[in-house]
Amino acid sequence: MKRSLLSLLLVSFLGQALFAQNLYQEHFPKVDSILNHHYNKNTPGIALSIISTGKTIYQNAIGMADMENEIAISDSTSFHIASVSKQFTAYLALLLEEEGKLSMEDDIRKYLPELEALPYKITLYQLANHTHGLPNLSELVHLKGIGSQNIMTHQQVIKMLLNIRIVNFKAGEQYQYNNTGFALLAEIIERVEGLPFQQVLKERIFNPEGMNASQAIDDPALIVKNRARSYMLVEDGYQNNELNLMTNGSSGIRTTIADLSNWAIKFQQPDPKAQAIFQKMQKPSQLNSGQSISYGLGLETKKYKGLEVVFHGGGDVGYRSYILHIPAYQLSLVLLSNTDDFAPLLVYDIIDLFLKDVLKEPTKPEKTHYSSKELKSFEGTYQMFPGNYFNIIAKHDTLYFQNYGTKDIAPLPIIGDDEFLFPYIPTTKFSFYENGFIFNIADFKYDCKKVQLETVKAEEIDLSEYIGIYKNEEFNVFFELLIEDKELKARHMRMEDISLHPIEDDSFFSRRSFFGKLDFDRDKEGKIIAFRVSGQNLMNIEFFKLGCFQSSK
C-alpha cells in the first residue's frame, strides 16, 4: 500500500514537471533569442535558469566567465550574487528564532554590546527590513578614504560598524535600503551559534539543499574555483572591475546557476518549516506610522501586470543577479551575470512571453501632452539626498533635467500622467507628485522633495573661517579643509580633493554621494568648531575641528 502511494505521488510529480516543460517549451527558442540579443560568446555574459513546479525546465549560459583565459560560462561557474545574499541571512535568522535561539524583536544591543551608545532601540527585525536607521557601510567606507583599489575584509567592516554612534533616523520611522543591517545580522548569527557565519550558512542551508558549490566569502583575496571575473564596459571594450570590499550577510555569497536554482525549487516546494519562514520573509513591513512597505525580510513583493511577484536583485562592481518567483504559477527565474548592465531585467521579457495570456497590460496614460504653463508646475530644485540636488526646468514645451550648479540641461521625454523618461540611465523614469517626484531606477525608488536653496556666492563668504583639520572620533577619520583657487576643498590623504560649494549660511555641498552636504557649527563666540556631513544613506556624521572637541549640540 505504501509503495503504491509513493509510486502514485512520484508519477504525479513527474507528470506536473513534464506538463510545465511542455507548456513553455515552445517559447524556449525565443528565450535563446532574448539572451543572444544582449550577450555573445566573446564578451562577459549570463547564466539563466527557469524553474516550474519544482523542476528546472530551461537553462542556458552565454559569454565568458574569464576573458583573459577564454573560459566560457557554464552551469558550474561561480558568480558573486551581491544582495541576493540577503535572503539567506534572513532565512537563517528566522530559523534560529524558530529554535528559540534569538528573537527578531530583540534589541540588537543584547548581542552587540559595542553599540550600547546608540540613541534608540533597534530590533533584529529592523536590521532585516532596512528600517534600522544606521548609516550605510558603503558610504562609511568611502568616508574613510577606502576606494575600489583597497581590499577590505568582512571582519574589518564589522569592526568599523561596531563604532557607529549616530543614526540617520529613529528605527522604524523610514525605509532606507542599505547593507549595514544585514552585515550586523550576520555578526549576530555568528555570535549566537558560536561558529563562523560561513560555516553556519553551509551547515544549515547549503549542504541540506544540495548547494555544494555555494559559499560565503569574507575576504576578497580568497581563491574561488570556477570563478566568474567581474567586468565593466568602457568605450574601448571591457576592463576588469574587481570586487575588493567583502561583507557577509548583506552580500558575499558565491554560487552557481545550478545551486541557485535548487534554492528556487525550495521556495516553490518547501517543507512546512521552510514554508512558514518564507511566508514571514514575504510579509510587507510596517513603519511606526502604520505605513506598509513592500520589502519584507530579504525579499520584496510587487505587482507586475497584475501578477504577484516575489523578487530580489543584486549588483556589485560588475556582478548582477536576480531571482524572481511568481507563486501563483509556480514559476521562478534565476539570472547571474558578470558585467555591469541592466540586462538582469530581461527576466520580465520572459514573463511577458510565458504568461502573455494572463497579463494585464498597463492602462495607457490619459494625458500625454503638456502646455508650457503646465510644465512650469514641475519646475524647481529637488533633493534626492543631502547634497544631491537637481533642477527641473521647463522651456520650449519641453521639460529638462539639470544637475544643480551646472549649465548643461538634458530633455526628459514625456511618458504621460506626470511621468517622464530619464533615458540616460536604462529603466529609469521620473514620477511627479505635488512638490516632489519619485526617481525610479529599475526596482529602486528614490523620493526627491522640492527644496528652496539660498543663493550664496563663494566670493561673498570668508572661506578662511572654515579652514583647518577636522576629526571624526567614531571612525578615526581626518579631513583638512583648505582654500585652493578661491574654492573651499576637503582633502583626505587617500582620495582626490573634494570641491565644496556654498548653498546656505554655513552650509556647503559637493558632488560626492558620501560627502554630500556639510553643515558647520559655531561656538558662542561665533567661531567654527565642527561640521556635520550628510549624504546618501548617512546623516550628521560629526567632525570636530582639532582643538575644538567639545560637543557642538
Side-chain angles (χ1 to χ4, degrees):
M1 186 69 178
K2 287 183 179 179
R3 180 176 294 178
S4 299
L5 181 59
L6 286 172
S7 299
L8 185 63
L9 288 172
L10 182 61
V11 169
S12 175
F13 172 75
L14 290 174
Q16 290 178 14
L18 289 171
F19 175 75
Q21 186 165 8
N22 292 333
L23 178 65
Y24 299 121
Q25 195 164 19
E26 64 176 294
H27 301 305
F28 293 170
K30 180 63 176 176
V31 176
D32 293 339
S33 179
I34 291 172
L35 297 184
N36 286 317
H37 175 72
H38 290 278
Y39 301 96
N40 68 69
K41 65 180 182 179
N42 298 315
T43 65
I46 189 173
L48 173 72
S49 184
I50 303 174
I51 300 96
S52 180
T53 59
K55 183 177 176 61
T56 299
I57 61 171
Y58 175 94
Q59 191 168 291
N60 195 4
I62 299 174
M64 289 287 171
D66 185 332
M67 294 183 70
E68 291 89 335
N69 295 297
E70 297 185 336
I71 300 173
I73 295 171
S74 70
D75 61 359
S76 62
T77 299
S78 178
F79 290 85
H80 172 79
I81 62 172
S83 287
V84 170
S85 305
K86 289 180 171 68
Q87 59 195 273
F88 294 93
T89 309
Y91 188 95
L92 267 182
L94 291 169
L95 183 62
L96 296 182
E97 183 178 50
E98 287 284 326
E99 296 170 356
K101 295 179 179 179
L102 55 78
S103 168
M104 296 298 287
E105 296 300 330
D106 283 341
D107 188 327
I108 63 172
R109 291 173 291 194
K110 176 180 177 180
Y111 306 96
L112 305 173
E114 297 95 330
L115 295 174
E116 62 182 359
L118 289 177
Y120 307 111
K121 173 184 176 181
I122 299 172
T123 66
L124 277 66
Y125 180 80
Q126 290 164 333
L127 289 183
N129 68 7
H130 304 291
T131 65
H132 48 77
L134 297 168
N136 188 32
L137 64 88
S138 300
E139 279 68 46
L140 293 178
V141 166
H142 291 315
L143 196 64
K144 288 173 68 67
I146 297 172
S148 58
Q149 73 282 4
N150 303 118
I151 287 179
M152 195 170 186
T153 68
H154 171 73
Q155 287 305 320
Q156 290 171 327
V157 170
I158 293 298
K159 184 178 180 180
M160 175 188 72
L161 296 181
L162 293 177
N163 286 316
I164 292 174
R165 300 292 179 267
I166 296 175
V167 298
N168 296 348
F169 52 84
K170 185 178 180 180
E173 293 294 313
Q174 298 179 38
Y175 167 80
Q176 190 178 80
Y177 185 94
N178 80 29
N179 292 316
T180 295
F182 276 91
L184 291 178
L185 188 56
E187 177 68 11
I188 290 171
I189 289 170
E190 185 167 300
R191 294 186 183 191
V192 167
E193 288 291 83
L195 296 169
F197 176 78
Q198 301 87 341
Q199 184 177 341
V200 179
L201 196 57
K202 188 173 185 66
E203 292 179 357
R204 302 305 302 272
I205 294 182
F206 292 158
N207 288 348
E209 302 309 323
M211 300 173 67
N212 299 318
S214 302
Q215 56 184 322
I217 305 298
D218 64 350
D219 186 338
L222 292 176
I223 294 173
V224 178
K225 291 182 179 179
N226 301 318
R227 179 178 67 157
R229 301 293 297 271
S230 167
Y231 297 99
M232 176 172 60
L233 181 62
V234 294
E235 287 187 7
D236 299 329
Y238 288 92
Q239 67 180 31
N240 289 315
N241 194 10
E242 297 297 336
L243 176 64
N244 286 328
L245 171 65
M246 193 59 66
T247 58
N248 284 162
S250 60
S251 187
I253 290 177
R254 281 189 173 270
T255 189
T256 66
I257 193 67
D259 275 13
L260 202 52
S261 297
N262 284 349
W263 182 244
I265 289 170
K266 182 178 182 67
F267 181 90
Q268 285 188 3
Q269 299 187 338
D271 57 63
K273 180 183 287 188
Q275 184 174 22
I277 291 175
F278 281 131
Q279 286 174 348
K280 291 179 181 178
M281 292 171 64
Q282 295 171 68
K283 184 179 178 181
S285 302
Q286 277 198 331
L287 300 179
N288 296 342
S289 64
Q291 177 187 346
S292 180
I293 57 174
S294 60
Y295 200 96
L297 303 175
L299 288 174
E300 190 168 357
T301 58
K302 68 177 179 181
K303 287 283 189 179
Y304 176 74
K305 296 184 178 180
L307 295 176
E308 189 76 28
V309 171
V310 182
F311 71 99
H312 209 292
D316 211 345
V317 292
Y319 295 107
R320 297 293 181 265
S321 58
Y322 212 82
I323 184 166
L324 177 147
H325 310 283
I326 305 175
Y329 290 88
Q330 284 279 289
L331 183 66
S332 300
L333 293 92
V334 178
L335 183 150
L336 300 172
S337 178
N338 63 333
T339 180
D340 63 335
D341 56 25
F342 281 80
L345 297 181
L346 61 79
V347 296
Y348 294 97
D349 295 333
I350 298 171
I351 294 172
D352 291 346
L353 182 67
F354 278 29
L355 300 175
K356 60 183 178 181
D357 294 334
V358 299
L359 296 176
K360 296 179 181 179
E361 292 298 326
T363 56
K364 293 183 178 180
E366 295 181 7
K367 186 173 182 60
T368 57
H369 177 76
Y370 296 85
S371 66
S372 295
K373 182 179 179 181
E374 289 172 324
L375 290 176
K376 286 286 183 182
S377 67
F378 301 121
E379 279 196 323
T381 300
Y382 296 80
Q383 176 182 285
M384 186 171 180
F385 46 81
N388 188 239
Y389 305 112
F390 309 126
N391 289 329
I392 300 296
I393 301 166
K395 63 179 184 179
H396 309 310
D397 293 329
T398 302
L399 204 63
Y400 292 89
F401 169 89
Q402 180 186 61
N403 278 314
Y404 184 79
T406 65
K407 295 181 179 180
D408 292 338
I409 59 175
L412 301 173
I414 296 171
I415 297 174
D417 292 344
D418 298 338
E419 291 195 333
F420 294 78
L421 190 67
F422 190 75
Y424 316 102
I425 300 176
T427 70
T428 300
K429 66 179 181 178
F430 292 173
S431 302
F432 283 88
Y433 61 90
E434 187 175 0
N435 294 321
F437 67 84
I438 303 299
F439 199 152
N440 301 273
I441 306 177
D443 291 322
F444 291 95
K445 299 180 185 295
Y446 300 95
D447 195 2
C448 303
K449 302 284 189 182
K450 189 176 286 189
V451 294
Q452 295 290 334
L453 299 179
E454 298 177 16
T455 302
V456 180
K457 296 180 180 179
E459 56 266 28
E460 298 173 353
I461 300 172
D462 182 4
L463 295 179
S464 65
E465 288 189 283
Y466 303 98
I467 64 174
I469 298 175
Y470 296 76
K471 180 184 180 183
N472 171 263
E473 289 289 336
E474 294 170 82
F475 308 110
N476 194 32
V477 179
F478 293 84
F479 275 93
E480 180 185 4
L481 300 193
L482 67 156
I483 300 170
E484 190 173 90
D485 298 327
K486 298 181 180 181
E487 187 176 67
L488 189 65
K489 294 187 177 182
R491 177 167 293 172
H492 187 288
M493 62 181 297
R494 300 176 72 177
M495 66 178 76
E496 292 183 1
D497 289 354
I498 302 172
S499 295
L500 302 175
H501 312 283
I503 44 173
E504 298 171 332
D505 288 341
D506 288 339
S507 291
F508 292 73
F509 82 98
S510 83
R511 305 194 192 285
R512 305 290 290 274
S513 63
F514 66 91
F515 213 71
K517 184 170 183 266
L518 273 65
D519 294 303
F520 286 85
D521 296 308
R522 296 177 181 268
D523 63 14
K524 293 178 181 180
E525 285 73 42
K527 295 181 179 179
I528 297 292
I529 59 170
F531 69 76
R532 289 166 286 114
V533 64
S534 302
Q536 184 175 9
N537 276 332
L538 54 80
M539 288 290 292
N540 294 321
I541 304 296
E542 292 182 306
F543 284 77
F544 291 98
K545 197 170 185 179
L546 288 187
C548 302
F549 289 111
Q550 67 270 28
S551 173
S552 63
K553 299 294 177 70

